[in-house]
Amino acid sequence: MREARFQVWDPEYNQFALHPKEKNITDLIPLENIRTPTAMFVAKNDILADLEDAEWTREAIGDAVFHF
């Protein structure tokens, strides 16, 4: 969420996390291509992604999300 995009994880990411002005851009994960039924379990106090991020992800995946 720090990069404001849904992207492939980079094992070197922690190096960039120490330098807030630097970006670590990797390949995008095309959420709109997901067709497998997907359940999302979201909580108000999630430390990794807030409700706004979860809603964005749900909308990007579309009809494949069957529980939110």
Side-chain angles (χ1 to χ4, degrees), residues 4 7 12 20 22 30 34 39 42-44 46-47 50-51 55 64:
Q7 65 183 20
E12 310 274 322
E22 293 184 34
I34 294 175
V42 180
K44 289 181 184 177
D46 191 322
I47 61 170
D50 60 23
L51 289 175
E55 288 171 356

Side-chain angles (χ1 to χ4, degrees), residues 1-64:
M1 294 297 124
R2 180 175 175 254
E3 306 302 341
R5 54 200 315 261
F6 206 87
Q7 65 183 20
V8 175
W9 173 255
D10 179 356
E12 310 274 322
Y13 187 81
N14 288 337
Q15 292 180 50
F16 290 89
L18 298 174
H19 307 284
K21 293 183 180 181
E22 293 184 34
K23 294 266 184 196
N24 186 12
I25 305 298
T26 61
D27 293 337
L28 286 175
I29 297 172
L31 296 176
E32 64 277 2
N33 294 343
I34 294 175
R35 298 291 173 246
T36 304
T38 304
M40 293 179 65
F41 299 91
V42 180
K44 289 181 184 177
N45 295 321
D46 191 322
I47 61 170
L48 297 177
D50 60 23
L51 289 175
E52 182 179 336
D53 296 331
E55 288 171 356
W56 176 87
T57 304
R58 179 191 62 200
E59 293 302 316
I61 294 172
D63 294 337

